[in-house]
Amino acid sequence: MSWKVDVDGDTCIGSGMCAALKPEVFVLEGATATVVTGEVEPDETVLDAADSCPAMAIEVTEKGEVIGPRP
Ligand code: SF4
């Protein structure tokens, strides 16, 4: 089982928090974060990154169901 991770580049404000939390998954390119890999093994830190994104720009899905950010 794996999770899919997306960053909305139009919404991202380039805070860099996600890349600091999980550099294996997120990288800051200029003023916008992108994903190093869109498919990740389940990892609580990826959900933490989605939860803590100040722009709510990160979406984590499992089998098409949104699991992050958490409510
Ligand atoms: S935490 Fe959110 S706003 Fe900050 S760089 Fe990552 S995706 Fe962009």
Side-chain angles (χ1 to χ4, degrees), residues 11-19 21 33 48-58 69:
T11 307
C12 171
I13 58 171
S15 71
M17 286 177 63
C18 56
L21 264 174
D48 290 343
D51 291 348
S52 59
C53 172
M56 300 280 281
I58 300 171

Side-chain angles (χ1 to χ4, degrees), residues 43-65:
D43 182 337
E44 195 76 8
T45 312
V46 174
L47 290 179
D48 290 343
D51 291 348
S52 59
C53 172
M56 300 280 281
I58 300 171
E59 182 177 82
V60 185
T61 56
E62 180 184 72
K63 295 180 186 165
E65 182 183 338

Side-chain angles (χ1 to χ4, degrees), residues 10-50:
D10 293 332
T11 307
C12 171
I13 58 171
S15 71
M17 286 177 63
C18 56
L21 264 174
K22 197 68 183 171
E24 302 91 337
V25 176
F26 303 98
V27 63
L28 204 55
E29 283 183 354
T32 308
T34 59
V35 288
V36 177
T37 170
E39 296 272 336
V40 301
E41 290 301 305
D43 182 337
E44 195 76 8
T45 312
V46 174
L47 290 179
D48 290 343

